[in-house]
Amino acid sequence: MAERPEDLNLPNAVITRIIKEALPDGVNISKEARSAISRAASVFVLYATSCANNFAMKGKRKTLNASDVLSAMEEMEFQRFVTPLKEALEAYRREQKGKKEASEQKKKDKDKKADSEEQDKSRDEDNDEDEERLEEEEQNEEEEVDN
């Protein structure tokens, strides 16, 4: 747990970015208002986490999951945010699945390339051995002809 209450605040840069994205261009916000929003956001996150933790504990789990957070939002009477959160969660899951599939495909391509290079190398070694054998046979034939 945090040693000081200030340690629980969200980073100012994150809060500032969110505020700028939410406000129209040309609208400024005072440092005091930004600080108040930061504290309110931190309190909201702590409260939502506590509620979600209660759902996890009811399920005899130590790990919070998305359904715990969604249930907490409903319990906190923020039902209107549940649908957008579900949509964002689905988009996140699709993105992660796409990244995972791309990573797996990249790994397969890399393995396939490595296998192909190994086969080429093996073929080259076999060809070298065949050439050496042919040279030895030619030398042996020459020696037999000389004898």
Side-chain angles (χ1 to χ4, degrees):
M1 208 59 200
E3 295 177 18
R4 302 172 301 165
E6 304 87 56
D7 293 343
L8 299 175
N9 288 339
L10 297 170
N12 285 333
V14 173
I15 297 298
T16 301
R17 182 171 38 94
I18 293 170
I19 291 170
K20 283 184 179 180
E21 289 175 6
L23 295 175
D25 289 338
V27 176
N28 295 320
I29 186 165
S30 70
K31 188 175 181 180
E32 186 178 85
R34 187 174 23 249
S35 177
I37 291 172
S38 177
R39 286 190 197 117
S42 296
V43 168
F44 175 79
V45 169
L46 290 170
Y47 183 55
T49 302
S50 177
C51 288
N53 186 49
N54 290 339
F55 282 99
M57 288 172 53
K58 286 177 189 173
K60 297 181 178 160
R61 293 178 282 107
K62 291 185 178 182
T63 303
L64 304 182
N65 59 36
S67 66
D68 296 326
V69 175
L70 294 171
S71 297
M73 294 300 287
E74 288 178 357
E75 183 176 287
M76 296 182 325
E77 299 181 10
F78 283 101
Q79 290 90 348
R80 70 182 218 171
F81 294 109
V82 172
T83 300
L85 283 172
K86 284 181 180 178
E87 290 169 359
L89 179 61
E90 283 304 312
Y92 171 79
R93 286 177 175 162
R94 282 191 302 273
E95 181 182 328
Q96 293 303 306
K97 184 178 179 184
K99 285 181 180 179
K100 183 179 180 183
E101 288 172 353
S103 175
E104 289 173 355
Q105 185 62 43
K106 188 176 179 181
K107 186 178 185 301
K108 284 180 185 177
D109 291 347
K110 186 178 178 182
D111 290 346
K112 192 175 181 181
K113 184 178 178 184
D115 288 346
S116 175
E117 287 174 356
E118 282 182 28
Q119 288 175 353
D120 290 347
K121 187 177 178 182
S122 178
R123 248 186 253 118
D124 289 345
E125 289 173 356
D126 289 347
N127 288 342
D128 290 346
E129 289 174 4
D130 289 345
E131 286 176 14
E132 288 175 10
R133 254 188 256 117
L134 284 173
E135 287 176 9
E136 285 178 20
E137 287 175 6
E138 286 176 3
Q139 284 178 350
N140 289 340
E141 287 176 5
E142 288 176 7
E143 288 175 3
E144 288 178 11
V145 169
D146 289 341
N147 290 336

